Amino acid sequence: MLKVLMAELSAGAGEFTPKARIAVVAVPRRRGRPGAGPNLDRPPPPVDTPDAHRPASGLQDQEERQIGLNNRQLRGGSPIVRVPPLPLSLVLASAALLAPTNSPVTAPEPAPPPSPRPATADAGTAAPADAGTTVPVAEGAAPPDDPGPALPDGERTAVPDDRPTAVPAAETAPVSADALLARVRDCLPVSRGRYRSDAWAPADIPVCGTRGAVFWKADMDIDCDGRAGRHCNARSDPSFSPQTSVRQSDGRALSAETLPFVVVPMPSRIWDHREHGARAGAVAAVVHRDRVRYAVVGDRGPRDLIGEASYAMAEALGIDPDPRTGGAASGVTYIVFKDSRATPVESPAAAVREGERLAREFLR
C-alpha cells in the first residue's frame, strides 16, 4: 500500500488534489422475523441534515450522484456508509502500520554438549568418549590412546608398561647343589695353615676364600651343645656342654636340636674367622650330595679341628645326627657368606630367607 501511495504522489506532483475516499462496507443481509424488531431489508429513511439543503459544489454533486447510483444498484442491500476524507499523513501512517513486518527470528540455542563420561578408576585408564567430548585425565597422566611423540623417522617412542613384570624362573627356583659346588671348585687358601678333620687325621684341610664367601670341604661331626633337649643332653652326648659361643636374642644358649648351625675353629695362628667376615651369627650354606641347607655360625670348636655342625643341621642334610655314632666321614662343603647375619639368630626361617638371597648373589 505504501508503494501505491508513493506512486500517486510522484504522478501528481504539484497538481495533487485530495480525493474523497469512499469505503463501501457490505453487511450480511439478515431477514427479520415477525416481532423481532425493525426489518433491516428496507433502506433507512433519509436523514434531514442542514447539509442536505446546502448547494453542493461540482465535486460534491458528483459524489452524491455516485452514491445515489450505488444505492439504486444495491436494491434491497445494506446501507452505504460514507467515510469523510482522511488527511494524507494519517493515510501514510496507517499504511506503515498495516504493512507486513518480518518479526526477528530467534536462532535456536545450540544444544549443550554431552556431559563428559567419568574416567574409570580400574586399570588406571579413561573411559571412551563420544565425538567432541573431553575425557578428564588425572594430572600428570597421558591422554587416552596417546601414542606418544613422533620421532623424525615416523616411529613413536615406547610407552612404559605398568603391568607387573614376571620374575624369571631362575630368580625363584632354589639354588642347586651342583651350582654351588661348581662355584667353589677352585680353592684360593686364606688360612695360614691347614686343619684336621679329627684328632688322628692329617692336617690337610685349608680354608679357601672367594668373592663374597669363605669355604672349606671336610667331614661332619655332630655338635649337641646348648640348651638340653630330648636328643641333646648329658646322657646322649658324653661331651655335652649347656653353653654355645653364640647366644639367642633373649640371652640363652642356642638349641642344637632345633637350630641348624655350623661350628668354626677358635681364632688361632692358622686362621681367624673374624678377619674374613665369618663372625657369630653369619649365614652359611652347607652342601651334602644333592642337598643344600642354610644355617648360621652358632658355635666355636677346637683351634686345630674343622668340620662340625649341629644335630638339626645333620638331620636336615640326611646325615645321621646321633652325637655318638652319627655324622659324615667326608663330602660336606661349608660356605660362609662374608659379613652376613640372620636376624634373629635363633630363627631357622631367617637363615633360609637370607641364605637363598646370598646364594643367588654368590652365583652371579
Side-chain angles (χ1 to χ4, degrees):
M1 180 182 292
L2 183 59
K3 292 181 178 181
V4 174
L5 294 176
M6 295 299 295
E8 291 181 358
L9 290 175
S10 301
E15 299 178 359
F16 177 74
T17 302
K19 297 181 180 181
R21 298 287 180 174
I22 306 299
V24 179
V25 179
V27 180
R29 298 177 60 184
R30 184 177 58 181
R31 296 182 179 275
R33 295 191 305 270
N39 190 350
L40 297 180
D41 292 339
R42 291 174 300 178
V47 179
D48 188 11
T49 60
D51 294 337
H53 303 283
R54 188 177 54 188
S57 62
L59 178 60
Q60 291 177 349
D61 185 43
Q62 182 180 359
E63 290 177 354
E64 288 178 359
R65 285 196 301 271
Q66 183 66 34
I67 291 173
L69 178 61
N70 291 338
N71 288 338
R72 287 192 300 270
Q73 291 177 353
L74 297 176
R75 297 180 180 272
S78 301
I80 302 301
V81 179
R82 178 181 178 184
V83 179
L86 297 178
L88 179 60
S89 60
L90 184 58
V91 172
L92 295 177
S94 301
L97 290 176
L98 294 177
T101 58
N102 295 329
S103 58
V105 179
T106 304
E109 296 184 359
S115 59
R117 299 179 181 177
T120 57
D122 276 12
T125 59
D130 296 333
T133 303
T134 303
V135 178
V137 180
E139 181 178 358
D145 302 330
D146 185 6
L151 297 178
D153 57 358
E155 298 181 357
R156 295 191 177 272
T157 57
V159 178
D161 192 353
D162 295 334
R163 294 175 295 182
T165 304
V167 179
E171 296 294 333
T172 58
V175 176
S176 68
D178 291 341
L180 286 175
L181 292 177
R183 180 70 173 80
V184 297
R185 179 181 296 112
D186 301 325
C187 175
L188 177 63
V190 294
S191 60
R192 300 182 183 92
R194 296 178 181 241
Y195 288 95
R196 303 174 186 268
S197 59
D198 291 297
W200 61 85
D204 56 0
I205 304 174
V207 176
C208 309
T210 185
R211 179 184 59 84
V214 294
F215 62 93
W216 58 92
K217 300 175 183 181
D219 65 345
M220 179 177 284
D221 295 331
I222 306 303
D223 183 355
C224 242
D225 294 342
R227 296 202 322 269
R230 188 165 67 93
H231 300 289
C232 294
N233 51 62
R235 295 186 303 274
S236 62
D237 183 6
S239 60
F240 174 78
S241 171
Q243 303 298 326
T244 53
S245 300
V246 180
R247 297 277 180 169
Q248 292 185 167
S249 57
D250 59 2
R252 296 186 296 166
L254 301 178
S255 170
E257 284 188 12
T258 60
L259 179 66
F261 63 79
V262 300
V263 180
V264 295
M266 293 182 64
S268 67
R269 62 180 181 84
I270 301 175
W271 180 58
D272 187 347
H273 61 89
R274 297 169 300 184
E275 294 177 356
H276 295 88
R279 298 180 179 87
V283 180
V286 184
V287 182
H288 177 64
R289 296 178 180 173
D290 60 348
R291 294 190 182 186
V292 179
R293 298 295 183 266
Y294 299 99
V296 296
V297 174
D299 205 0
R300 292 190 295 188
R303 287 183 173 87
D304 59 343
L305 300 180
I306 200 168
E308 188 176 2
S310 68
Y311 182 100
M313 183 82 263
E315 189 175 42
L317 288 170
I319 299 173
D320 183 3
D322 188 278
R324 289 176 183 261
T325 62
S330 63
V332 181
T333 302
Y334 304 80
I335 305 171
V336 180
F337 300 108
K338 294 179 180 180
D339 300 319
S340 60
R341 184 171 182 82
T343 305
V345 68
E346 68 270 15
S347 170
V352 171
R353 181 172 58 251
E354 189 67 6
E356 289 179 346
R357 184 186 69 82
L358 293 170
R360 289 191 181 91
E361 290 184 358
F362 181 62
L363 295 176
R364 290 175 183 170

